[in-house]
mmCIF file of all heavy atoms in Angstrom:
data_model
loop_
_atom_site.group_PDB
_atom_site.id
_atom_site.type_symbol
_atom_site.label_atom_id
_atom_site.label_comp_id
_atom_site.label_asym_id
_atom_site.label_seq_id
_atom_site.Cartn_x
_atom_site.Cartn_y
_atom_site.Cartn_z
ATOM 1 N N GLN A 1 -6.232 6.317 27.606
ATOM 2 C CA GLN A 1 -7.418 6.959 27.145
ATOM 3 C C GLN A 1 -7.062 8.338 26.564
ATOM 4 O O GLN A 1 -6.239 9.023 27.082
ATOM 5 C CB GLN A 1 -8.439 7.153 28.338
ATOM 6 C CG GLN A 1 -9.818 7.648 27.938
ATOM 7 C CD GLN A 1 -10.605 6.543 27.264
ATOM 8 O OE1 GLN A 1 -10.255 5.359 27.286
ATOM 9 N NE2 GLN A 1 -11.708 6.964 26.666
ATOM 10 N N HIS A 3 -8.867 11.948 24.955
ATOM 11 C CA HIS A 3 -10.081 12.782 24.831
ATOM 12 C C HIS A 3 -9.862 13.807 23.778
ATOM 13 O O HIS A 3 -8.793 14.522 23.803
ATOM 14 C CB HIS A 3 -10.381 13.413 26.170
ATOM 15 C CG HIS A 3 -11.686 14.134 26.183
ATOM 16 N ND1 HIS A 3 -12.906 13.608 25.867
ATOM 17 C CD2 HIS A 3 -11.949 15.452 26.485
ATOM 18 C CE1 HIS A 3 -13.860 14.501 25.941
ATOM 19 N NE2 HIS A 3 -13.301 15.646 26.274
ATOM 20 N N LEU A 11 -21.057 28.979 10.701
ATOM 21 C CA LEU A 11 -21.723 29.312 9.429
ATOM 22 C C LEU A 11 -20.838 30.270 8.639
ATOM 23 O O LEU A 11 -20.370 31.289 9.231
ATOM 24 C CB LEU A 11 -23.079 29.962 9.728
ATOM 25 C CG LEU A 11 -23.856 30.513 8.532
ATOM 26 C CD1 LEU A 11 -24.219 29.394 7.564
ATOM 27 C CD2 LEU A 11 -25.074 31.270 9.027
ATOM 28 N N SER A 17 -13.618 30.994 4.683
ATOM 29 C CA SER A 17 -12.671 30.071 5.284
ATOM 30 C C SER A 17 -13.049 29.814 6.769
ATOM 31 O O SER A 17 -13.662 30.702 7.453
ATOM 32 C CB SER A 17 -11.234 30.713 5.283
ATOM 33 O OG SER A 17 -10.786 30.904 3.967
ATOM 34 N N LEU A 18 -12.635 28.674 7.206
ATOM 35 C CA LEU A 18 -12.755 28.330 8.623
ATOM 36 C C LEU A 18 -11.519 27.528 9.047
ATOM 37 O O LEU A 18 -10.942 26.844 8.156
ATOM 38 C CB LEU A 18 -13.979 27.521 8.912
ATOM 39 C CG LEU A 18 -15.359 28.173 8.939
ATOM 40 C CD1 LEU A 18 -16.464 27.136 9.062
ATOM 41 C CD2 LEU A 18 -15.441 29.173 10.069
ATOM 42 N N CYS A 22 -8.606 20.492 16.739
ATOM 43 C CA CYS A 22 -8.850 19.242 17.445
ATOM 44 C C CYS A 22 -7.853 19.195 18.592
ATOM 45 O O CYS A 22 -6.677 18.908 18.328
ATOM 46 C CB CYS A 22 -8.736 18.073 16.497
ATOM 47 S SG CYS A 22 -8.783 16.449 17.306
ATOM 48 N N SER A 29 0.246 8.883 21.676
ATOM 49 C CA SER A 29 1.509 8.335 21.213
ATOM 50 C C SER A 29 1.922 9.046 19.977
ATOM 51 O O SER A 29 1.117 9.394 19.084
ATOM 52 C CB SER A 29 1.344 6.840 20.954
ATOM 53 O OG SER A 29 2.437 6.325 20.289
ATOM 54 N N SER A 30 3.225 9.186 19.802
ATOM 55 C CA SER A 30 3.737 9.771 18.571
ATOM 56 C C SER A 30 3.489 8.862 17.370
ATOM 57 O O SER A 30 3.626 9.263 16.229
ATOM 58 C CB SER A 30 5.233 10.076 18.677
ATOM 59 O OG SER A 30 5.940 8.870 18.912
ATOM 60 N N ARG A 38 -15.887 13.939 7.883
ATOM 61 C CA ARG A 38 -17.081 14.677 7.855
ATOM 62 C C ARG A 38 -18.249 13.795 7.423
ATOM 63 O O ARG A 38 -18.059 12.776 6.742
ATOM 64 C CB ARG A 38 -16.987 15.887 6.905
ATOM 65 C CG ARG A 38 -16.839 15.504 5.405
ATOM 66 C CD ARG A 38 -16.625 16.799 4.591
ATOM 67 N NE ARG A 38 -16.513 16.484 3.181
ATOM 68 C CZ ARG A 38 -16.204 17.409 2.251
ATOM 69 N NH1 ARG A 38 -15.933 18.673 2.654
ATOM 70 N NH2 ARG A 38 -16.149 17.053 1.007
ATOM 71 N N GLU A 46 -16.947 10.419 5.522
ATOM 72 C CA GLU A 46 -15.793 10.317 4.654
ATOM 73 C C GLU A 46 -14.584 10.929 5.329
ATOM 74 O O GLU A 46 -14.729 11.951 6.108
ATOM 75 C CB GLU A 46 -16.042 11.005 3.285
ATOM 76 C CG GLU A 46 -16.367 12.503 3.409
ATOM 77 C CD GLU A 46 -16.404 13.147 2.012
ATOM 78 O OE1 GLU A 46 -15.742 12.613 1.074
ATOM 79 O OE2 GLU A 46 -17.022 14.221 1.952
ATOM 80 N N ILE A 51 -3.116 13.204 9.397
ATOM 81 C CA ILE A 51 -1.730 13.575 9.669
ATOM 82 C C ILE A 51 -1.236 12.689 10.801
ATOM 83 O O ILE A 51 -1.997 12.371 11.690
ATOM 84 C CB ILE A 51 -1.612 15.057 9.976
ATOM 85 C CG1 ILE A 51 -0.142 15.515 10.058
ATOM 86 C CG2 ILE A 51 -2.312 15.382 11.302
ATOM 87 C CD1 ILE A 51 0.029 17.034 10.126
ATOM 88 N N GLY A 55 4.120 14.181 12.415
ATOM 89 C CA GLY A 55 4.134 15.157 11.339
ATOM 90 C C GLY A 55 4.831 14.635 10.074
ATOM 91 O O GLY A 55 4.989 15.398 9.124
ATOM 92 N N SER A 57 3.812 12.420 7.908
ATOM 93 C CA SER A 57 3.006 12.068 6.736
ATOM 94 C C SER A 57 1.640 12.789 6.866
ATOM 95 O O SER A 57 1.100 12.951 7.922
ATOM 96 C CB SER A 57 2.787 10.576 6.651
ATOM 97 O OG SER A 57 2.019 10.078 7.686
ATOM 98 N N TYR A 59 -2.215 13.335 4.460
ATOM 99 C CA TYR A 59 -3.128 12.905 3.412
ATOM 100 C C TYR A 59 -4.261 13.891 3.327
ATOM 101 O O TYR A 59 -4.782 14.326 4.361
ATOM 102 C CB TYR A 59 -3.659 11.498 3.665
ATOM 103 C CG TYR A 59 -4.868 11.156 2.870
ATOM 104 C CD1 TYR A 59 -4.716 10.701 1.557
ATOM 105 C CD2 TYR A 59 -6.151 11.290 3.344
ATOM 106 C CE1 TYR A 59 -5.787 10.385 0.768
ATOM 107 C CE2 TYR A 59 -7.287 10.948 2.551
ATOM 108 C CZ TYR A 59 -7.060 10.480 1.267
ATOM 109 O OH TYR A 59 -8.178 10.215 0.501
ATOM 110 N N HIS A 66 -6.167 21.148 -2.454
ATOM 111 C CA HIS A 66 -5.886 22.541 -2.878
ATOM 112 C C HIS A 66 -6.777 23.517 -2.165
ATOM 113 O O HIS A 66 -6.665 24.752 -2.397
ATOM 114 C CB HIS A 66 -6.041 22.697 -4.411
ATOM 115 C CG HIS A 66 -5.238 21.728 -5.203
ATOM 116 N ND1 HIS A 66 -3.875 21.564 -5.009
ATOM 117 C CD2 HIS A 66 -5.619 20.812 -6.118
ATOM 118 C CE1 HIS A 66 -3.429 20.599 -5.827
ATOM 119 N NE2 HIS A 66 -4.428 20.129 -6.470
ATOM 120 N N ARG A 72 -0.343 20.151 12.522
ATOM 121 C CA ARG A 72 -0.452 19.827 13.967
ATOM 122 C C ARG A 72 0.585 20.588 14.777
ATOM 123 O O ARG A 72 1.636 20.923 14.279
ATOM 124 C CB ARG A 72 -0.347 18.326 14.192
ATOM 125 C CG ARG A 72 1.002 17.757 14.620
ATOM 126 C CD ARG A 72 1.910 17.640 13.471
ATOM 127 N NE ARG A 72 3.186 17.011 13.880
ATOM 128 C CZ ARG A 72 4.293 17.697 14.144
ATOM 129 N NH1 ARG A 72 4.299 19.010 14.084
ATOM 130 N NH2 ARG A 72 5.377 17.073 14.451
ATOM 131 N N PHE A 74 2.399 19.680 17.913
ATOM 132 C CA PHE A 74 2.560 18.568 18.883
ATOM 133 C C PHE A 74 2.677 19.055 20.313
ATOM 134 O O PHE A 74 2.137 18.417 21.229
ATOM 135 C CB PHE A 74 3.803 17.738 18.496
ATOM 136 C CG PHE A 74 3.901 16.433 19.236
ATOM 137 C CD1 PHE A 74 3.111 15.404 18.843
ATOM 138 C CD2 PHE A 74 4.777 16.304 20.302
ATOM 139 C CE1 PHE A 74 3.224 14.153 19.484
ATOM 140 C CE2 PHE A 74 4.855 15.079 20.970
ATOM 141 C CZ PHE A 74 4.083 14.023 20.552
ATOM 142 N N MET A 83 -9.622 25.325 6.227
ATOM 143 C CA MET A 83 -10.551 25.121 5.121
ATOM 144 C C MET A 83 -10.740 26.453 4.412
ATOM 145 O O MET A 83 -11.287 27.404 4.993
ATOM 146 C CB MET A 83 -11.843 24.556 5.631
ATOM 147 C CG MET A 83 -11.744 23.314 6.452
ATOM 148 S SD MET A 83 -13.316 22.575 6.927
ATOM 149 C CE MET A 83 -14.048 23.830 7.911
ATOM 150 N N THR A 91 -20.665 21.438 3.580
ATOM 151 C CA THR A 91 -21.510 21.452 4.820
ATOM 152 C C THR A 91 -21.605 20.032 5.372
ATOM 153 O O THR A 91 -21.994 19.110 4.695
ATOM 154 C CB THR A 91 -22.946 21.983 4.444
ATOM 155 O OG1 THR A 91 -22.813 23.350 4.057
ATOM 156 C CG2 THR A 91 -23.885 21.857 5.664
ATOM 157 N N THR A 98 -8.384 9.786 16.451
ATOM 158 C CA THR A 98 -7.019 9.442 16.571
ATOM 159 C C THR A 98 -6.852 7.948 16.996
ATOM 160 O O THR A 98 -7.787 7.358 17.560
ATOM 161 C CB THR A 98 -6.261 10.318 17.564
ATOM 162 O OG1 THR A 98 -4.854 10.102 17.412
ATOM 163 C CG2 THR A 98 -6.650 10.046 19.014
ATOM 164 N N ASP A 101 -1.592 4.078 13.710
ATOM 165 C CA ASP A 101 -1.473 3.962 12.242
ATOM 166 C C ASP A 101 -1.348 2.446 11.899
ATOM 167 O O ASP A 101 -0.531 1.775 12.457
ATOM 168 C CB ASP A 101 -0.261 4.704 11.757
ATOM 169 C CG ASP A 101 -0.327 4.950 10.267
ATOM 170 O OD1 ASP A 101 -1.327 4.609 9.644
ATOM 171 O OD2 ASP A 101 0.680 5.464 9.748
ATOM 172 N N TYR A 110 -10.386 6.649 19.167
ATOM 173 C CA TYR A 110 -10.930 7.824 19.901
ATOM 174 C C TYR A 110 -11.494 8.858 18.969
ATOM 175 O O TYR A 110 -10.824 9.253 17.984
ATOM 176 C CB TYR A 110 -9.799 8.388 20.776
ATOM 177 C CG TYR A 110 -9.077 7.407 21.622
ATOM 178 C CD1 TYR A 110 -7.862 6.898 21.272
ATOM 179 C CD2 TYR A 110 -9.673 6.937 22.790
ATOM 180 C CE1 TYR A 110 -7.196 5.933 22.016
ATOM 181 C CE2 TYR A 110 -9.049 6.017 23.571
ATOM 182 C CZ TYR A 110 -7.786 5.517 23.174
ATOM 183 O OH TYR A 110 -7.197 4.588 23.971
ATOM 184 N N SER A 120 -23.132 28.562 3.284
ATOM 185 C CA SER A 120 -24.317 29.079 2.590
ATOM 186 C C SER A 120 -23.878 29.549 1.225
ATOM 187 O O SER A 120 -22.763 30.022 0.987
ATOM 188 C CB SER A 120 -24.957 30.237 3.353
ATOM 189 O OG SER A 120 -24.035 31.303 3.464
#
Side-chain angles (χ1 to χ4, degrees):
Q1 190 73 13
H3 186 56
L11 174 64
S17 298
L18 284 173
C22 173
S29 169
S30 61
R38 67 185 182 186
E46 62 172 335
I51 189 168
S57 66
Y59 163 82
H66 307 305
R72 99 282 184 258
F74 192 77
M83 306 186 296
T91 295
T98 191
D101 196 5
Y110 307 101
S120 63

